[in-house]
Amino acid sequence: MSSIKRAVSLYSYQDEYVRGKLTLEGCLQELAEIGVEGVEVITDQMFHNTPETDDASIKNWKRIVEETGIVPVCNDIFINTNLYHNRMLTKKENLDFLKKELVQASKLGFPMVRLVSATPADIIEEALPLAEELNVIMALEVHAGMALDNALTKKFTDIMFKLDSPYLGLVVDTGIFCRRHPRVSTAFFLDQGLNPEIVKYIDDIFASGDDPLELSHNKLPEDLEKMVRSRIDREYILFAGGYENKDFSVLDPYMPYVKHFHGKFWEMTEEGTEYSIPYKELIEYLKEKGYDGYIASEYEGGRFALPGTEIDAVAQVRKQQDMLRSYI
Amino acid sequence: MFDNYVLTDNSLENVKKDGEITGYKMRTRITYYRGIPLSMVHDIQVEVDGQEVPRERIRFSPDGEIYFTLEEMKTVTSYKWEYGQEGIVYVEQPGGLAPGEHKIKLTQVSRVAYIPVPFSGTQTKTLTVN
């Protein structure tokens, strides 16, 4: 038993929510029922008129939290830098939006906001005094496809190391530890006519211990380009760059700043493991490092549901939580 | 991906105002996982029975109450299209659509904060006007 804690990101239940099968309250009741400690919320998803949601919504949220006993852990926020079609927001506009998000997160009782990948780094230092005052941590998401070596991520981590504040850190998405390409995604694209030769090409890259990150962001190698027959083939290759196959040790220098994990998953297998990500080994690594924060289930397999099939995120999250509980 | 959200089943109907049919409408959900201000809804395209509808005849409403043209929407930041909320796509066409089946292709394009290119969703369905 370690001190790692479990949460669920309500991102997981987006399809159930949009189809009216689960309300915000229903989501938290589900977490209480399966014995999860914490919750992560995308406020833009389940609250209206963010970042200035009304007092009634805040009051209702507080009631739900109190009745279910679930701990608010992380609030996923976005700065709409491309709010207008003809220009990007100015630094001042970005900063003002970030401040509004911090205030809203604080009112909702979240101790941390997750800044999405590519959040402008130049507003962080000026937002820090407010974050300190409100007692809300700002943590940048490190997501596969834009991970630690990405230039925008580096801009943030440079500031994070320089300021070395307890209110600045990282949220690591475990999609950077894919040992295999998610096969539910492969099945989804095959159904749309993906060339099976490309499947093998990408699978072989993972099998060799590498990932298609560089490949998908640059001009394709000649042998792969020859296999591309359709838009679907190109899309599959582009998406494949969103799964990285990194060693856990890439986190070594960052661990003191890691505030939270997104326990990304696409498919819980019959054996009770995730098809792509080696969670057992990951949790061993985190125990060694003395990590005592949360891992929040983030189910993303729903977007690869085959036409005519129902998404059952509730069942998938339950399975992943069972797995996490047994490893922790 | 999110294409299944684009066009709601059985949602095509003619719209009457003061006893006259002024056009037709259909319902749509955002092809993304969060709500966005209307200015970030980059484009909406409608094709009916293989014919593209001129952009200036399309109106969008995030709530069924307030309608904007696509040109107007470019600057609308005070209304959001919330996740899970069905928006209305209205097409101005006196007389509306003839009763019976129509092949409708609806496309939504949004700007997503951290993805450099606009993000689109399309769905084609045969819907019936009663």
Side-chain angles (χ1 to χ4, degrees):
Chain A
M1 188 72 185
S2 66
S3 34
I4 300 171
K5 300 183 279 284
R6 289 174 294 115
V8 172
S9 168
L10 300 190
Y11 177 90
S12 306
Y13 301 135
Q14 57 183 265
D15 188 69
E16 273 90 344
Y17 179 84
V18 84
R19 295 185 190 282
K21 293 181 195 167
L22 279 179
T23 58
L24 177 62
E25 182 159 9
C27 289
L28 268 77
Q29 284 166 346
E30 162 65 12
L31 302 195
E33 199 172 316
I34 63 175
V36 171
E37 301 158 81
V39 65
E40 175 163 0
V41 177
I42 299 176
T43 24
D44 287 352
Q45 187 173 68
M46 298 195 186
F47 288 80
H48 285 187
N49 205 33
T50 54
E52 292 170 296
T53 201
D54 61 19
D55 291 345
S57 302
I58 292 168
K59 204 175 150 201
N60 185 47
W61 166 251
K62 295 241 167 193
R63 174 190 62 78
I64 297 170
V65 164
E66 196 177 315
E67 284 176 11
T68 55
I70 304 292
V71 181
V73 172
C74 185
N75 178 192
D76 296 3
I77 64 164
F78 299 78
I79 310 290
N80 289 326
T81 52
N82 51 5
L83 180 64
Y84 300 104
H85 73 287
N86 57 354
R87 68 176 179 91
M88 297 298 279
L89 294 189
T90 63
K91 182 180 164 183
K92 181 177 181 302
E93 287 170 321
N94 287 330
L95 179 61
D96 287 347
F97 276 114
L98 175 56
K99 286 181 174 176
K100 282 182 184 175
E101 292 283 357
L102 289 170
V103 168
Q104 180 182 263
S106 162
K107 285 182 183 171
L108 291 168
F110 285 100
M112 171 169 28
V113 294
R114 183 285 331 240
L115 308 170
V116 76
S117 300
T119 296
D122 61 357
I123 56 176
I124 298 305
E125 191 161 356
E126 283 175 64
L128 190 57
L130 179 64
E132 286 172 359
E133 186 192 318
L134 297 171
N135 205 16
V136 175
I137 295 166
M138 296 185 287
L140 181 78
E141 179 165 9
V142 173
H143 193 281
M146 311 193 62
L148 293 159
D149 36 12
N150 181 277
L152 293 173
T153 305
K154 217 177 151 297
K155 270 190 188 168
F156 180 91
T157 51
D158 285 349
I159 293 170
M160 178 185 83
F161 287 131
K162 184 186 87 178
L163 299 177
D164 201 22
S165 158
Y167 290 94
L168 283 182
L170 300 173
V171 175
V172 175
D173 184 297
T174 57
I176 65 174
F177 302 121
C178 287
R179 303 301 178 240
R180 298 194 278 190
H181 185 283
R183 65 181 175 183
V184 287
S185 164
T186 304
F188 174 82
F189 283 100
L190 281 172
D191 182 68
Q192 295 186 37
L194 169 67
N195 179 0
E197 287 176 349
I198 296 176
V199 175
K200 185 174 180 321
Y201 191 100
I202 300 289
D203 284 349
D204 287 349
I205 293 175
F206 280 95
S208 74
D210 201 356
D211 60 40
L213 175 66
E214 289 301 319
L215 179 142
S216 80
H217 286 65
N218 293 300
K219 191 174 179 298
L220 299 184
E222 214 173 300
D223 52 344
L224 180 58
E225 184 63 49
K226 274 188 188 152
M227 294 176 192
V228 176
R229 299 188 300 216
S230 70
R231 180 183 60 84
I232 294 296
D233 291 345
R234 214 167 281 288
E235 211 171 290
Y236 185 76
I237 296 166
L238 185 70
F239 270 75
Y243 312 106
E244 294 186 26
N245 185 2
K246 299 291 185 278
D247 195 85
F248 302 128
S249 63
V250 296
L251 289 186
D252 288 353
Y254 299 96
M255 274 314 288
Y257 300 90
V258 174
K259 304 290 184 186
H260 186 57
F261 278 90
H262 283 168
K264 177 59 63 61
F265 72 112
W266 298 276
E267 181 194 6
M268 291 302 297
T269 65
E270 290 294 318
E271 295 77 39
T273 58
E274 210 289 316
Y275 180 78
S276 301
I277 300 169
Y279 272 98
K280 192 167 199 285
E281 291 79 2
L282 172 65
I283 287 172
E284 285 310 314
Y285 170 85
L286 296 181
K287 283 181 185 172
E288 253 172 54
K289 296 289 170 187
Y291 177 70
D292 60 0
Y294 283 86
I295 299 179
S297 295
E298 197 184 77
Y299 176 58
E300 204 171 73
R303 62 171 64 177
F304 303 121
L306 294 172
T309 60
E310 287 263 309
I311 295 169
D312 192 352
V314 169
Q316 284 285 310
V317 168
R318 287 183 174 206
K319 281 187 192 171
Q320 201 215 20
Q321 284 289 325
D322 286 344
M323 176 191 74
L324 292 174
R325 190 185 299 113
S326 75
Y327 296 155
I328 290 169
Chain B
M1 305 276 137
F2 300 110
D3 289 356
N4 286 331
Y5 296 147
V6 178
L7 193 47
T8 306
D9 283 332
N10 306 318
S11 73
L12 183 66
E13 56 182 310
N14 280 328
V15 176
K16 253 188 190 172
K17 202 182 164 196
D18 305 328
E20 297 271 322
I21 293 177
T22 57
Y24 55 91
K25 64 178 181 179
M26 62 202 85
R27 297 200 301 274
T28 178
R29 289 192 183 104
I30 197 164
T31 53
Y32 188 24
Y33 57 81
R34 65 183 183 105
I36 51 176
L38 291 193
S39 62
M40 291 172 76
V41 180
H42 197 67
D43 203 9
I44 291 173
Q45 296 149 12
V46 185
E47 219 181 88
V48 179
D49 301 322
Q51 285 280 94
E52 199 180 329
V53 169
R55 189 182 148 82
E56 58 276 12
R57 287 212 263 120
I58 299 172
R59 308 273 182 281
F60 180 77
S61 173
D63 55 8
E65 287 173 26
I66 310 268
Y67 284 81
F68 295 101
T69 66
L70 299 184
E71 273 307 294
E72 286 168 348
M73 278 217 302
K74 287 180 175 174
T75 57
V76 178
T77 56
S78 46
Y79 289 87
K80 284 180 92 172
W81 186 7
E82 301 290 359
Y83 183 74
Q85 190 166 317
E86 284 184 315
I88 312 275
V89 175
Y90 169 78
V91 176
E92 185 185 57
Q93 183 178 306
L97 293 174
E101 289 190 339
H102 294 277
K103 194 174 157 193
I104 307 286
K105 181 180 174 188
L106 182 62
T107 303
Q108 269 182 44
V109 188
S110 315
R111 288 193 308 280
V112 174
Y114 52 98
I115 298 179
V117 287
F119 188 78
S120 72
T122 297
Q123 198 173 24
T124 304
K125 275 184 184 171
T126 299
L127 300 179
T128 304
V129 172
N130 292 315

